[in-house]
Structure formats: C-alpha cells, structure tokens
Amino acid sequence: MGVLEVNFDGIPGPTHNYSGLAAGNLASERNRNLIANPRQAALQGLAKMKALADAGYAQAVLPPHERPAVAALRALGYAGSDAAVVARAGREAPQLLAACSSAAAMWAANAATVSPSSDTADGRVHFTPANLVSNFHRALETTTTTRVLRAIFNDAGRFIVHEPLPSAAQFGDEGAANQMRLVAGAAPAVELFVYGRMALDTAAAVPQRFPARQTREASEAIARRHGLDPSRTLFVQQNPAAIDAGAFHNDVVAVANGAVLFCHARAFVSHETFFASLRSSLGSAFTPIVVGEAEVSLDRAVATYLFNSQLVTRLDGSMLLVAPAECLEDEAVAAYLQQLTSGEGPIRELRAFDLRQSMKNGGGPACLRLRVVLSDAERAAVGANVWLDDALYAALTAWVMRHYRDRLTPADLADPALLDEGRRALDELSRLLRIGDVYPFQRL
Ligand code: SUG
C-alpha cells in the first residue's frame, strides 16, 4: 500500500494585503501599508504548486476564506446592511476592518495539526484545527478551516477532524507550523511538538520581546486526543531567543523530513538532550543538519526564511529543498546552500520560488502548505476536487484572473465592492472544488 505525503497549499485570497497585523513577525511589521497584489500572490502560490505537481509530488489545494468577515464585525457591534457594516468599520476602526479582512488563511501550515493514521491509536488520520488565539485576525480562521477540512476529509471511518482546542491563551495553538514528524525506515514515526511557553508552569524561560504563540499544554492536549504513542512523542521548547529574533513559529527555524532535521543551532532550548532522544528513537538513521551562527546567523535565517523551506523526498530517496527566492539573494545563505546540496548529504537538489507577495507578510514555502500523509485508500476517500493536476491548475489560474484585483491597499478594504467580488469568487470556487457550502454567506 502506497503511503505518501500530500502538500495541501492555501490559495492566497482576494483580500491579500499588508496591514501589519502580526506582532513578532518582522516582515508583517515592516511591510505594513505596502500596496499588495492579490492576483500575483495567488499566481505565485499556484506556480509553486504546479512546479511540484509536475515534478511528481502529490499536491492539493485549500481554499481562501470569506473576507471581510462581516459576522465578526457584527459580533463587535456593527449593524445594518453588509455594505454599511464594512463602510462604518472602515471609517471608525480601520485596523479592526483590516483584521477582519486578512487573507492569512493562505498559510495552511497554521490550519491544523495532523497525525497520519500510522501514528494514531484508532488508525484514523487525526486533524486538530488550530485555534490561533494569539492573533484576532487569525482566530477568525478556525470555523471555516474546520468546515473545509470536514468537507475534504469526509469519511468517519478514516478521518477525524476534531474541534479546535478551547479558545484561551493557555491553549494557544498554531497548528503544524510547530509540529515535525521524523521517521526512519519501517519503524513508527516520532511526532515532535515545539512550544514557545508553558502556560500553567511559569518556571521556564520565555521570550522578552515578542509573544510565544504555542503552549506546551496545547501540544500535549493534541497528542492525547490524536492517540499518539507517548514513547514516540516529544515536546521541545523553542529557544526564546529565536522567538525574539522573529521566529514566531518553529517552522521559521527548523524543518524535518524522513530522518533529517534541518535547523538553526539556536532553534531549540536544549539541542543535546533532545537530539539524544531522537537518536534513541530513530537510531543511527537520525541525521541532524544544524546550521551554526558562523555559517548563517539567526537574523539572516529569519530574513531569508532559509528554514521555511519545504523538504521533500525524491524518487531516489534523496531530498529536495524548496526554498524562497530570497535565499539566493543573500550571499551567506546562497553559499551555504551551494555547499549543502553539492556534498554527500541527504539534500541533493534546491529549487527556489518567487513567493514575494506572501513572504512580505512573513509566509514562505513551508507556511503555505499543510502536510498530510495519506495511504492510497485514504487519498481515494477524498471526494473533493482538490488535487492539483493540469486541469485544476488551468481552472484556478483562470478563476484568479477573472476575480482578483492586482492592487490592494489597507484603505481599499472599506470598498463594499470587494466583499461582493470575494463572495462571487468563493461561491464559484466552492463548486469547482466540490467542498459544499463552507462559507458564512452561503449559509445565511
Ligand atoms: O501568522 N502573517 C502570518 C504569517 C504566518 C506564517 N506561517 C508560518 N510560519 N507557518 C502570521 O504571522 C500577517 C498579516 C498582515 O500583517 O496583514 C500575518 O498574519
């Protein structure tokens, strides 16, 4: 039976913009108020997906969410017609409208934590949609994400999409961006959860400058509800210094695939104990590739998103690193990558992609995708039209060209026409993808 990893990439939505909403995400803070190009954002994302699909990697899509989120504005006291709600929020509270208009659901690594059926006690694939409580604009994603995942993974015998964890700071959960999975040969996998702080135990060091979004308590609850084997599950603290340097998720400083862990030397609190545990679970196959400060500084790693690359297995068993184009423009990082891929190590190929629209909001190749390991039978149980083949790529590209603007500023978010354009686009998309009525405007 063939088991393979499918990358579900989020399609950047029609309201993609730069509103500086994410504290501790240096790109988002720096690029606030830039003019965005939602059409280009979507096309750049689709181009990466197509290139990987063409190279033989299993690729699927996740749809954007309805924005502005009129229901959220109503819950906060705005009333009247939808157009009046948006217009008044735009006049009185533009930052609130911006939060309710964010296209942040494109960063699918934050959609959910996923445990493949081979890791879980009941033999089903488990999903916990992330509650994303650290940021209001992201917490708005959970309801639609849960519906979308339930529409795609709609077979109770094979899949379970849990409710998100309780929406409280103590259970702050940012999904797969803080989860890694390592596997060596036929032995069971090790699931690795990286947290930024402990909510109920204040003894551990915490970042001084920026928020730690993921709590250990959240990660432990997910491991319990997914029925993971405690002896194959590790909880590791992210280095507070990495969070303070702008690594708001672990996937900004580390990525794992197979038995390889590619990370910065300052990614975790204690490399040595944690590497020793991995070595005892995975044996000699465990291959850490740790990049020191002298080769690539933490600041350069965050600026280029070197570790926000996708690491995928090629047919011959060696690995491809899917990196952001910014890596090749930095002398130290480009030199490091040249040396990394030309040696005898496991990573033998590099492909760089222009994802600048997403990158300017702090989202690289790895942020844009949710990894879901599925067996043949599980893939066959997906009834939705989400597999990116030539036909879906052509349809999605044409859909983007029909519906997306090529220029959007935060001030444009108050334009009521944007809401209508988005709804028309998503109505069409939900039919194309066969995911049912997942959007609030379809369920009125
Ligand atoms: O949550 N940016 C996102 C980027 C998420 C990246 N994902 C991963 N690392 N997996 C965030 O910080 C910025 C939106 C704005 O400022 O308009 C934003 O939400």
Side-chain angles (χ1 to χ4, degrees), residues 19-22 25 28 107 110 137-138 177 213 249 251 361-362 367:
S19 285
L21 297 172
N25 170 341
S28 155
W107 298 300
N110 306 118
H137 73 287
R138 302 229 52 190
R213 300 188 192 184
H249 292 135
D251 70 5
N361 254 337
C367 302

Side-chain angles (χ1 to χ4, degrees), residues 295-297 300-307 323-324 326-340 350:
E295 285 170 298
V296 176
S297 70
R300 294 320 300 152
V302 171
T304 58
Y305 263 41
L306 166 62
F307 298 100
E326 283 77 353
C327 288
L328 299 183
E329 289 153 15
D330 182 288
E331 232 177 280
V333 174
Y336 172 76
L337 284 171
Q338 169 62 29
Q339 170 227 312
L340 175 75
L350 170 73

